[in-house]
Amino acid sequence: MKKNIYFLFMFIFPFFIQAEEGKILRFKYKENDNFRILSTVNEIVKVNGIPNHKAEIVNRISMKITKVNEDNSAEHEATFMTSENSIGSRTGTNFSWGEEYKSKFTRSKNGNYDIDNIYFMPVVRDVPTFPDYPIKPGDKWTAIGHEAHDLRRTFNISTPYKVPFSAEYTYIKDEEGISSDSSKEKKVFQIINVKYSLFYESPIPNGTTAIDYPQTTMGYSNQTIWWDNEKGQIDHYTENFRILIETVRGNQFDFSGTSRAENTEFKRIATEENLVNVLQKVEDLGLEDISVTKSEKGLTISLENIQFEADSAILRKTEQNKIQKISQILSSYPDNDLLITGHTARVGSEESCQILSEERANAVANFLIQLGVKDKYHIFTQGFGSKIPIASNMNETDKSKNRRVEITILDN
C-alpha cells in the first residue's frame, strides 16, 4: 500500500466562474477530452518502526471523459499505472511500466464521486469538493472525503478499504507562475491549500480471510494546488503526507513522504494521418529496418534487428545514430510520454531473455534521456523477453526481426 497517484484525482477539470464578490468553483467537463496526470512520489516505508526501504514512485493516470450529463456531472474512463524504483532494484534509474488498473466513475460539478465498489482507483475521493457560494483569497471551507486503499495483497481484503476524513480548504492568493505543460506559458494561478487528518478505528473488514487486518489508520495530507483559471483545471500540485496503519496483531506500517503532480491535456496520436506523417519522416531520414504501426497504447516505432554489442545492452554506434534521427520525430510530440519495449530472439533460457530485453529497453531509454528527448519521469520501460515474436526463431533472418526495441508514443 502506498500513498500514490491516486491522490491525483483532485485534478479533474475544475473551472472558475467570476462572481462579483469572489469566484464560484465548479467542475467543467467536455466530452471526449483526454488528459494525463503524472505524479512523482518520494516515500519512506517503515515496518514496526524499522526503516524498510526508500522508493521513488511514478504514478500515471490517463483519462477520457466519455459523457457529460444534463446536471453537468461527467462519466470518466481511466487507466492507472504505478511504477516504483526502490534502492537496489534491478531496473536502475528508469521506471518500468507497472500493473494497470481500469476504473469508471461519475463526478459531479461540485467534485463528488459516484463509483462502484469494484474499483480500487482513485485512492483519494471527493477532493476537492467545492462550495456553492463565491470565495475569495483568505476564505476557508470544509468538506467530507475519503481514501479507498487496495489492501488485497497485504491483508486479503477483497473490496476497497475506506478511511473517511474532513478536509479543510483555504483559498490563499493569486500568483503568477509557469505552466507545467510543454508551452511553459506564464499564468496567473489561484493557490489553494487542502489539508486533512486521518484517524479511523475500523471494524473487521468485510471479505477478509487474513489472520491480521487493520485496526487503526492514522495520518495526514497537506497539499498546495495551483489552479489554472484560464484553462479551467489544476496545473500542478505538491503534497506532504504520512499514513500509519496499526493492525490487530500489533504490527505497524508507516508510509511518509512528498509528492508532486502535473496535469497535461493531449490529443490522440494514433491516427491514420499521424501514421502517414511518421512513415514519411522515417523515409525522409533514410532509416532502415523501421516499421510504424498504430497500437492500443499509441503510435509504435519498431527498430527491428537493433544492434548491441554481443550478449550485452550496449548500443552500437550505428544504432545510436539511428536513434538520434528517430529523436527528431519524437520531439514533435512534447506532451506525450514514451514507452520503450525490449524483445529478444529465443536464445538460451527465457529468464535470461527477459533480463536482456529489460536491459536493452533501458539502454534505449537512457540514450533518449541523454539526447534530451524526455526526462526519466516521462519515459517508461518494459521487457518481454522472447514471449512476443513477430517471426519464427528458425533462422538468423527471422531471429533478427524478433531482436527489436519498440518506442511507443503514448496516447493513454
Side-chain angles (χ1 to χ4, degrees):
M1 190 207 74
K2 302 178 183 70
K3 186 81 169 178
N4 54 31
I5 183 132
Y6 310 145
F7 288 129
L8 299 178
F9 269 77
M10 65 188 86
F11 270 153
I12 307 172
F13 283 81
F15 81 106
F16 298 83
I17 303 172
Q18 296 292 333
E20 206 170 284
E21 296 183 354
K23 301 177 179 72
I24 296 179
L25 281 65
R26 288 288 181 272
F27 284 76
K28 183 179 181 180
Y29 308 100
K30 295 179 182 179
E31 197 164 307
N32 295 320
D33 265 0
N34 299 288
F35 57 97
R36 181 220 61 197
I37 300 167
L38 191 75
S39 79
T40 57
V41 181
N42 288 289
E43 183 178 72
I44 299 172
V45 180
K46 297 180 180 179
V47 178
N48 295 327
I50 300 173
N52 184 273
H53 69 277
K54 295 181 180 179
E56 187 175 28
I57 304 162
V58 169
N59 301 287
R60 190 178 187 276
I61 302 173
S62 62
M63 181 72 57
K64 182 175 183 179
I65 297 174
T66 57
K67 182 180 179 181
V68 178
N69 301 313
E70 291 184 2
D71 62 357
N72 293 320
S73 65
E75 298 174 17
H76 299 70
E77 292 184 356
T79 301
F80 298 76
M81 189 281 295
T82 185
S83 178
E84 177 178 338
N85 264 346
S86 298
I87 293 175
S89 67
R90 190 178 69 193
T91 55
T93 58
N94 294 322
F95 291 94
S96 59
W97 192 262
E99 185 175 0
E100 295 184 11
Y101 296 83
K102 302 292 185 180
S103 186
K104 294 181 180 180
F105 56 86
T106 300
R107 199 168 188 185
S108 74
K109 62 183 181 181
N110 291 83
N112 299 105
Y113 279 87
D114 182 6
I115 181 169
D116 194 278
N117 212 34
I118 65 172
Y119 297 114
F120 288 86
M121 305 299 175
V123 169
V124 176
R125 302 174 183 183
D126 303 329
V127 175
T129 300
F130 301 134
D132 290 321
Y133 51 83
I135 62 168
K136 56 186 180 298
D139 284 352
K140 301 176 183 290
W141 71 99
T142 61
I144 301 300
H146 70 277
E147 296 187 359
H149 293 285
D150 183 356
L151 301 184
R152 286 174 292 183
R153 292 177 182 172
T154 309
F155 296 108
N156 200 28
I157 298 173
S158 60
T159 57
Y161 176 72
K162 297 180 180 179
V163 181
F165 58 79
S166 177
E168 300 178 0
Y169 297 83
T170 303
Y171 179 2
I172 300 173
K173 62 179 179 178
D174 292 340
E175 180 179 87
E176 188 176 82
I178 304 297
S179 66
S180 62
D181 62 20
S182 60
S183 69
K184 302 302 179 187
E185 294 180 80
K186 284 189 175 181
K187 298 279 187 177
V188 175
F189 297 113
Q190 289 67 47
I191 311 301
I192 308 293
N193 178 254
V194 186
K195 59 183 178 181
Y196 59 84
S197 297
L198 299 172
F199 186 85
Y200 180 60
E201 294 181 318
S202 59
I204 298 175
N206 292 330
T208 182
T209 59
I211 296 174
D212 204 6
Y213 54 86
Q215 184 174 54
T216 305
T217 303
M218 298 170 284
Y220 66 85
S221 171
N222 191 337
Q223 307 158 12
T224 301
I225 300 170
W226 280 256
W227 296 96
D228 184 341
N229 192 33
E230 182 182 353
K231 282 188 174 181
Q233 62 187 29
I234 290 177
D235 186 83
H236 61 281
Y237 96 105
T238 61
E239 178 191 24
N240 298 305
F241 66 86
R242 185 183 181 191
I243 295 179
L244 177 64
I245 295 178
E246 294 183 345
T247 74
V248 294
R249 295 180 66 87
N251 293 309
Q252 288 188 345
F253 298 88
D254 191 342
F255 308 85
S256 62
T258 62
S259 66
R260 187 188 189 282
E262 61 184 34
N263 185 6
T264 304
E265 296 179 58
F266 64 89
K267 294 182 179 179
R268 294 289 177 187
I269 187 177
T271 64
E272 194 64 33
E273 180 182 1
N274 283 330
L275 176 62
V276 171
N277 288 339
V278 172
L279 284 169
Q280 185 61 55
K281 290 178 181 177
V282 167
E283 183 178 340
D284 293 343
L285 290 168
L287 293 167
E288 298 180 352
D289 296 321
I290 299 288
S291 62
V292 185
T293 57
K294 291 188 294 181
S295 68
E296 182 181 328
K297 291 186 180 298
L299 205 60
T300 298
I301 301 171
S302 181
L303 290 74
E304 298 174 6
N305 195 27
I306 188 167
Q307 299 294 307
F308 294 86
E309 299 297 334
D311 299 319
S312 79
I314 301 173
L315 281 163
R316 290 185 176 177
K317 186 64 177 177
T318 55
E319 304 309 293
Q320 291 183 11
N321 294 336
K322 184 184 294 184
I323 295 170
Q324 279 184 306
K325 291 182 179 181
I326 291 173
S327 71
Q328 299 175 38
I329 300 173
L330 303 177
S331 296
S332 301
Y333 304 97
D335 290 328
N336 295 74
D337 298 333
L338 301 178
L339 173 61
I340 316 300
T341 307
H343 303 265
T344 68
R346 184 59 188 267
V347 178
S349 69
E350 184 54 48
E351 181 181 3
S352 64
C353 289
Q354 178 64 35
I355 293 171
L356 187 59
S357 68
E358 293 173 6
E359 291 176 342
R360 288 180 170 179
N362 276 310
V364 173
N366 287 333
F367 191 63
L368 289 171
I369 293 169
Q370 179 184 330
L371 292 173
V373 176
K374 300 282 183 185
D375 63 35
K376 70 173 185 175
Y377 302 105
H378 295 81
I379 295 183
F380 302 91
T381 61
Q382 195 170 31
F384 286 103
S386 63
K387 292 188 286 289
I388 310 179
I390 58 174
S392 74
N393 283 293
M394 300 301 293
N395 55 65
E396 189 55 39
T397 299
D398 285 349
K399 286 180 180 179
S400 68
K401 294 180 181 179
N402 293 330
R403 196 180 296 117
R404 68 195 190 281
V405 172
E406 297 175 340
I407 303 172
T408 299
I409 308 169
L410 289 168
D411 270 349
N412 52 33

